[in-house]
Structure formats: structure tokens, C-alpha cells
Amino acid sequence: MRVAAALQAKGGDEFAKPGNIIEVKFVKGESLSLTASRLLALMILTAGGDAWEDKPHRIRKADIRRGHKGNERITDMLEELHRTLFAVDDKSWRGKKATLRFSLISRSREETEEDGGEAGWIEWEFTPDARKMIQASETYAVLNRQAVLGFRSNYALRLYELGALRLHRRQATWRGDMAALRAALGIPPEVYTDFAQLRRKVLEKAKAEIDQLAHYRVEWREIRQGRTVAEIEFRFEPKSPPAVMETVDELDRHSRGRRERRYGTVEAPLVDLGAVAVLTNAPTKPEEKTFPRGSVRFGHDELLAIGRTHGGGWDIDMIANGFREHMGERIEKLRGVKLAAAWKGFCESWVTRRGRAI
């Protein structure tokens, strides 16, 4: 919750989702739809560090609709969240193994006045069981709001969350048998019963979306018993700084044509931000400085914080020297969000290659 509060205070598109909520199981193999999963992510983003408290939270309908004129889909999403049951392993009053079933949302209010328009709001409260899980979670995933809203496959969104949760662990992997895989991604037992179909319809599509929209890449290994795939192991690796820059560019683009760009059927236009700034005579913003030539420790608080958080205990200036060498002349073109994303990606890849210093 401290991380969630810090990201909320910082602003921007990053937010923390508790690991306990990411790994919660659905009852009877059910799963939330893609739109309901997005709404839940926005609810957690909005609640921030207060998600565990017994209090109502509020969000504008305009922040949910993303261009849809009507509010019918919001009503459907809320009702789906109310009726979907989740399950966790628990203990009974006698100390026996038990399964606890609960919903995440206890009640909600949706403004329905016709003149509400863009000013309409919804209000909700998390259930006591959900708040307890959120507060007790010792792990979290840092997600990107634009990426969450950009996914077109619910399975891709689920795998994206699982990957973000494990990315910074010593072993950035997830491994499980077919039953565990279906439970983790919310795949109904009667769907894609043939693994070749599951690979084509679920895994390959999810990987393509994650590689395009996430700050990391995903690979998987099929572990066989004879000719049968018995287990799957996913491996999550941070992207290189240039790849992170491409991802930031993609998230800034309109979603139209994204699938074609993903599979390389069209060439995305390149935009020279420096040329745009010259043509528009726009002054460089103070917060959009280039990467420092000297020590990062003096006068570069945001870059220093990123290095300390994602640098694995290594000397920040040592990582910075590696970053300058890796980027070469391209480093002079980095500004603002792209600079922060590229620096963060390099710090993460540094730790992946060399391990943690402490």
C-alpha cells in the first residue's frame, strides 16, 4: 500500500496492484471479461494506497468509457464484478483446510441522471475479504494504465499481470501444469482442450500483445511427458532501453492499426520529436532534460530514485556509465517520459544480467 500511495502521489500511468489480487482464483474456472478486468484495474488505480480502508471510492464514468457514448457497458461491468466469485485457500473454524469464496465489490452506486454526461460518477466499496487480501499482500506488480487499457485479449492481460508481479524476483518465471495454467489465465476447462489450439489461440496471441505493450518480454518453455505437454514455464525479461522507447511510442499512438504494427504488416511512421519542437518553436520543458553527463546523484532526483529502486543495489553512476555506452548518440534525443522509461529498462536489464549487488 505504501508503493500504491507513492505511485498515486507521483501521478502518471503507473500503479501498483497487490499480488494477492492478481493470483486469486476464480470459482469453477470462471473469469472476468476483458472489460470487467480493466474496470477492476482502474478501481485499484483510483483507490491507490487507500484500497484496504473501509471507505467508498469514486471514479468518473468518462475515465472508464474511453470514447463510448453510452453507459450501458459500465452497468454491465459493475454487475459482472458483483456476481463473480473468487476463491482462496483458507482454514475453517476447526483449523481444517477450507476454501473461502467471496466477491471483490460489496456495493456500488452509479449516477443515472440523464444530465450527468461526462460528469457522471460511480462509487463502490471493496468487500472486507478483498480489503483484508489487499492489506496482507506482501508482493505487488507495477502496471501501466495505457497498457492495461490497450490489451485486446483477456488472457494477455492476465499474463501481463503475472509477469509484472514476477519480473524483479531472482527467478522471474512462472511454472505450472495445464490445470494451473487455466486457473492462472482464467481459461474455462471446456475451451481449447487441444494444446495446439491453446498455444495458437491463447499463448501466441498473448505473447504478441505483451511484447508490444509491456515493459518486458515473455517467452515460454513446454515441458513434455512423452508427446503430451505436461507443464508450461514462462520467463519474463526486461526490455532493452531502445525496445522500451518503442513501447512508450506505441502506447502514445492511437490503437487503430496496432494489430498491423504488431505483426509487421504496416510500417509505423517515425516522428522526430526534436524536429517537431523546432517547427513549433516549443521551448524544452525544465523536467525534460537530457541524461546527465556527470553524476546522477546531484540534481537528478527522479533518475536517482529510479536507479535506487531498480538498480539492484549497484552503484548508480556505474549503471549510468553503462547506459551512456549502450545508448551512444541516441541518448541525446531522450527526454521526459522516454528518458525515464529507457533508464528504468536499462537498470532492470542490468540486474537481470549481473544479479543484485546486495
Side-chain angles (χ1 to χ4, degrees):
M1 288 298 92
R2 287 195 298 270
V3 175
L7 290 174
Q8 188 179 44
K10 180 182 177 182
D13 286 322
E14 288 190 334
F15 66 100
K17 187 171 182 178
N20 286 352
I21 298 298
I22 289 176
E23 296 187 311
V24 69
K25 301 175 183 177
F26 296 94
V27 171
K28 295 181 180 179
E30 295 180 355
S31 177
L32 290 173
S33 66
L34 177 61
T35 53
S37 295
R38 288 174 179 164
L39 176 58
L40 177 59
L42 292 177
M43 286 176 163
I44 292 174
L45 182 157
T46 302
D50 297 334
W52 65 275
E53 295 186 8
D54 185 9
K55 58 185 282 189
H57 308 280
R58 302 173 184 89
I59 187 173
R60 292 180 183 273
K61 290 183 178 182
D63 294 333
I64 303 171
R65 278 198 298 267
R66 297 189 71 227
H68 296 287
K69 294 182 179 180
N71 293 324
E72 296 80 6
R73 295 184 65 186
I74 294 178
T75 300
D76 293 341
M77 287 185 280
L78 280 173
E79 292 179 353
E80 182 178 350
L81 283 176
H82 277 291
R83 66 174 179 264
T84 301
L85 289 177
F86 301 84
V88 294
D89 295 331
D90 200 7
K91 294 284 187 179
S92 72
W93 60 275
R94 298 192 302 159
K96 304 291 186 180
K97 290 183 179 180
T99 298
L100 172 66
R101 298 177 181 86
F102 63 96
S103 57
L104 295 180
I105 307 299
S106 60
R107 57 181 179 176
S108 64
R109 295 184 182 88
E110 178 187 3
E111 291 185 344
T112 56
E113 294 184 13
E114 293 183 0
D115 60 351
E118 291 294 314
W121 290 72
I122 64 170
E123 179 182 75
W124 77 95
E125 296 175 26
F126 291 114
T127 63
D129 290 311
R131 288 189 280 105
K132 182 179 179 181
M133 284 188 64
I134 291 171
Q135 185 179 18
S137 184
E138 297 180 354
T139 60
Y140 64 90
V142 176
L143 308 178
N144 183 284
R145 179 182 184 274
Q146 289 179 288
V148 168
L149 296 178
F151 284 112
R152 291 295 178 265
S153 163
N154 195 30
Y155 304 135
L157 177 55
R158 293 281 295 170
L159 185 57
Y160 166 69
E161 293 181 342
L162 288 173
L165 181 62
R166 287 165 172 77
L167 184 62
H168 303 299
R169 298 180 182 179
R170 288 186 179 275
Q171 296 293 329
T173 59
W174 181 96
R175 178 169 174 169
D177 58 19
M178 293 300 100
L181 175 66
R182 289 180 175 275
L185 300 187
I187 306 173
E190 70 278 4
V191 177
Y192 307 134
T193 54
D194 178 69
F195 183 79
Q197 190 180 34
L198 187 147
R199 181 198 296 120
R200 185 176 64 256
K201 296 289 188 178
V202 176
L203 301 183
E204 291 179 356
K205 289 186 177 181
K207 171 181 166 54
E209 284 203 68
I210 289 172
D211 287 351
Q212 183 183 35
L213 300 179
H215 56 292
Y216 63 87
R217 298 187 187 281
V218 60
E219 301 289 346
W220 78 82
R221 179 170 65 98
E222 299 170 7
I223 302 162
R224 296 176 178 268
Q225 290 183 353
R227 301 179 62 181
T228 303
V229 177
E231 292 183 294
I232 289 287
E233 181 179 82
F234 292 107
R235 185 177 69 256
F236 310 99
E237 298 179 349
K239 289 180 177 177
S240 66
V244 171
M245 292 164 58
E246 292 177 4
T247 298
V248 173
D249 285 340
E250 181 58 47
L251 292 174
D252 285 339
R253 295 190 185 108
H254 195 281
S255 60
R256 183 179 295 112
R258 180 165 287 165
R259 185 180 186 280
E260 289 75 15
R261 293 192 294 271
R262 183 184 310 144
Y263 294 106
T265 54
V266 296
E267 184 177 354
L270 299 177
V271 179
D272 187 338
L273 297 180
V276 172
V278 172
L279 291 173
T280 58
N281 198 28
T284 301
K285 296 181 180 180
E287 65 273 14
E288 293 188 347
K289 299 177 182 177
T290 58
F291 195 79
R293 296 179 181 273
S295 176
V296 181
R297 300 179 186 278
F298 306 105
H300 305 280
D301 293 344
E302 182 179 0
L303 298 178
L304 180 61
I306 292 174
R308 286 175 173 170
T309 302
H310 303 283
W314 288 86
D315 180 77
I316 304 302
D317 286 330
M318 179 186 294
I319 303 177
N321 288 335
F323 182 61
R324 297 186 189 97
E325 181 179 351
H326 179 82
M327 295 302 299
E329 295 180 356
R330 294 173 297 178
I331 200 170
E332 298 297 329
K333 299 181 180 180
L334 293 177
R335 299 287 193 282
V337 174
K338 292 183 179 179
L339 173 58
W343 170 236
K344 176 183 175 184
F346 185 81
C347 290
E348 293 172 341
S349 62
W350 178 283
V351 176
T352 299
R353 296 193 309 272
R354 304 195 180 197
R356 301 185 69 86
I358 56 175

